[in-house]
């Protein structure tokens, strides 16, 4: 059976101030063409179809167009909701839409109920595990500790239990939206840390033939059977080194996996440039980046006059301008943003406690801070979904 694995469309999202809807429509057209030309048996979409719980109308219309195109093509499609989606909104009409071969899996309670497809070698069971917010689903899975690993492990127990009831030789595919240990994150993914832990071990998914992951925006192979497709388009300059692709996955009669990366159409290259303004304007080695979307980091000791206007004279698609003067790393003039770069909310709060009272929080206090951040994040999620 041949699968086309994609995820993290983030319909409705922009890139800095650039509207990406046209590029997202081009991707949808490319997806349909690829599915037809490569004669795929199913398309799997591993979450974050939309960029937010209440997407703009234009994004909903594009999603509707994608569903119609895939249905007209006659290629079964399995989709799960991600942490950016409203599971309830995405799942509206799932039963009716399923009659057209588009299977939306947004209910945690249905983790053990697969979409069953067949080829010349027998059945393939595709299990959709939507994003499982631990605090919201711990009751469903009857776990005592609300963490990513515990709820995913419980969901996978349901998968394995169902698979054990199926005919011998049934192959299996799991769609999941999670941060799996070993994956490389970028700046454009929303933090899903719970209790100080964001990642789950790949071993949680043992026992199935292929795991189609979503959430991280870089295409990655964690094991031959566990892969991220990554987002089809870039959503931050931290993705400048990404090659945007989908996975074309073949499952043979015994469930062995072979996979090939298929490139997605990217509207414009990304470039992260660093140096003094004069150097950036004069360096001939930067000529290939003149038509790219540019993030320029200026290292001038003194902020130059009209830097954006001068940069766009050479790099007309400059979208981000950062000032990072080359100074001593611990000097008093180092910017607040620089000091906080790469630090989590928890770490920043702990530093603040240490600054105010002269000593950092003890283990109990760290737990209190962790619980507070978790509670705020869950509350934000519930409020967004309820809008």
């Amino acid at each position: 059976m041949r699968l086309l694995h994609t995820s993290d469309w983030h319909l409705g999202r922009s890139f800095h101030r650039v509207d990406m809807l046209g590029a997202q429509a081009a991707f949808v057209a490319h997806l349909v063409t690829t599915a037809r030309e490569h004669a795929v048996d199913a398309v799997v979409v591993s979450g974050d179809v939309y960029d937010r719980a209440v997407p703009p109308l234009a994004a909903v219309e594009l999603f509707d167009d994608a569903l119609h195109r895939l249905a007209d093509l006659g290629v079964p499609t399995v989709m799960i909701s991600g942490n950016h989606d409203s599971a309830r909104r995405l799942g509206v009409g799932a039963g009716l839409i399923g009659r057209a071969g588009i299977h939306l899996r947004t209910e945690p309670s249905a983790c053990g109920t697969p979409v069953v497809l067949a080829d010349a070698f027998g059945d393939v069971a595709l299990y959709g595990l939507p994003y499982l917010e631990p605090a919201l689903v711990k009751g469903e899975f009857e776990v005592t500790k609300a963490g990513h690993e515990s709820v995913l492990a419980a969901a996978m127990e349901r998968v394995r239990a169902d698979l054990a009831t199926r005919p011998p030789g049934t192959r299996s595919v799991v769609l999941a939206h999670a941060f799996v240990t070993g994956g490389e994150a970028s700046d454009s993914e929303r933090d899903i840390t719970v209790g100080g832990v964001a990642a789950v071990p790949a071993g949680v998914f043992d026992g199935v033939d292929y795991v189609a992951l979503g959430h991280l925006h870089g295409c990655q192979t964690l094991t031959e059977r566990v892969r991220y497709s990554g987002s089809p388009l870039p959503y931050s300059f931290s993705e400048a080194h990404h090659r945007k692709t989908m996975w074309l996955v073949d499952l043979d009669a015994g469930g062995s996996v072979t996979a090939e990366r298929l490139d997605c159409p990217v509207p414009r290259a990304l470039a992260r440039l660093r140096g003094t303004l004069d150097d950036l304007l004069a360096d001939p080695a930067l000529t290939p980046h003149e038509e790219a979307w540019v993030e320029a980091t200026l290292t001038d000791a003194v902020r130059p006059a009209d830097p954006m206007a001068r940069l766009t004279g050479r790099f007309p698609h400059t979208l981000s301008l950062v000032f990072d003067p080359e100074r001593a790393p611990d000097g008093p003039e180092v910017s607040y943003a620089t000091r906080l770069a790469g630090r989590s909310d928890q770490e920043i709060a702990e530093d603040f406690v240490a600054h105010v009272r002269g000593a950092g929080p003890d283990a109990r206090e760290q737990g209190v801070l962790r619980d507070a951040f978790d509670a705020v994040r869950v509350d934000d999620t519930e409020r967004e979904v309820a809008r």
Side-chain angles (χ1 to χ4, degrees), residues 240-257:
H241 65 289
H242 288 184
R243 174 187 164 200
K244 295 301 183 181
T245 58
M246 298 178 285
W247 283 113
L248 186 67
V249 177
D250 286 307
L251 285 179
D252 71 10
S256 293
V257 173

Side-chain angles (χ1 to χ4, degrees), residues 1-5 34-35 37-43 75-76 117 119 124 171 247-252 258 260 262:
M1 181 163 288
R2 173 165 284 184
L3 309 173
L4 188 60
H5 168 200
T34 300
E37 292 181 348
H38 288 271
V40 305
D41 298 300
V43 173
V75 176
L117 304 178
D119 63 10
V124 177
R171 288 154 292 161
W247 283 113
L248 186 67
V249 177
D250 286 307
L251 285 179
D252 71 10
T258 57
E260 176 188 358
L262 302 180

